[in-house]
Every structure is written in structure tokens, then in C-alpha cells.
Amino acid sequence: MTPAPRHAFQDHAAAPHIVVTRNNNRALELTVDNMTLYRPHSDETLIENFSLSMKGGESLVLTGANGSGKSVTFKGILGLWEYGTGHVTLPRDVKIM
């Protein structure tokens, strides 16, 4: 039996993650619709047709090898990656840690 691959973040609490909080018991929602991100000044696709829906109280942890696109995915969700397409609805009470 082959052992599972080791990632830099074996403890998921230490991995970069998204937490959608609740505001005055109002359910907030983060949505990502068909986000495709490209390498700057290139045709290379980094993330393709990524969709996500998270409601208040939910969290998401992304793990993977170095260079697998975790940081680019977070930047795309936050609107900090200029090279791509899709739609993101980001409530004010979303925390990226």
C-alpha cells in the first residue's frame, strides 16, 4: 500500500482557509460561478470553471502541493487576480485566513 502524499499543511487548521461567518443571525453566502484564471500574459489556464457556494458557518480548506493553485484561487475569490473570467459574490463577513 502506498502512503498518502504529504502536504505542507498536514494540520488543516494551519492551512489557508475561508470562513463564512454570520452577521446578526443573517445567513450570508459566498458564491463563485465558473471562475477561470489564467497565467498573466499567457494562454495557460491555472484554474478552470471553478464554482463554489458557501453559507454562513461553513469553512473551506484548500490543500495541495506547492504551485498547485491554492494562492491563485484565493486571490481570484478576493478579486486580487486580474487575469480571468467568472463571477464572485463576496459578502463583507468572509474571512480568508
Side-chain angles (χ1 to χ4, degrees), residues 36-49:
T36 297
L37 303 176
Y38 303 96
R39 185 168 303 284
H41 313 294
S42 171
D43 292 337
E44 183 182 354
T45 301
L46 300 172
I47 306 291
E48 187 171 22
N49 296 326

Side-chain angles (χ1 to χ4, degrees), residues 12-88:
H12 293 304
H17 58 282
I18 300 171
V19 177
V20 180
T21 59
R22 293 178 184 267
N23 185 6
N24 299 325
N25 292 327
R26 204 171 37 127
L28 302 174
E29 186 169 3
L30 161 69
T31 59
V32 179
D33 292 317
N34 295 317
M35 182 174 71
T36 297
L37 303 176
Y38 303 96
R39 185 168 303 284
H41 313 294
S42 171
D43 292 337
E44 183 182 354
T45 301
L46 300 172
I47 306 291
E48 187 171 22
N49 296 326
F50 177 75
S51 294
L52 170 71
S53 178
M54 294 176 62
K55 297 189 185 307
E58 295 181 331
S59 61
L60 170 72
V61 175
L62 292 181
T63 63
N66 289 343
S68 62
K70 300 177 300 291
S71 295
V72 170
T73 301
F74 282 119
K75 287 177 183 179
I77 291 170
L78 291 172
L80 301 175
W81 193 263
E82 301 175 12
Y83 310 97
T85 60
H87 185 266
V88 176

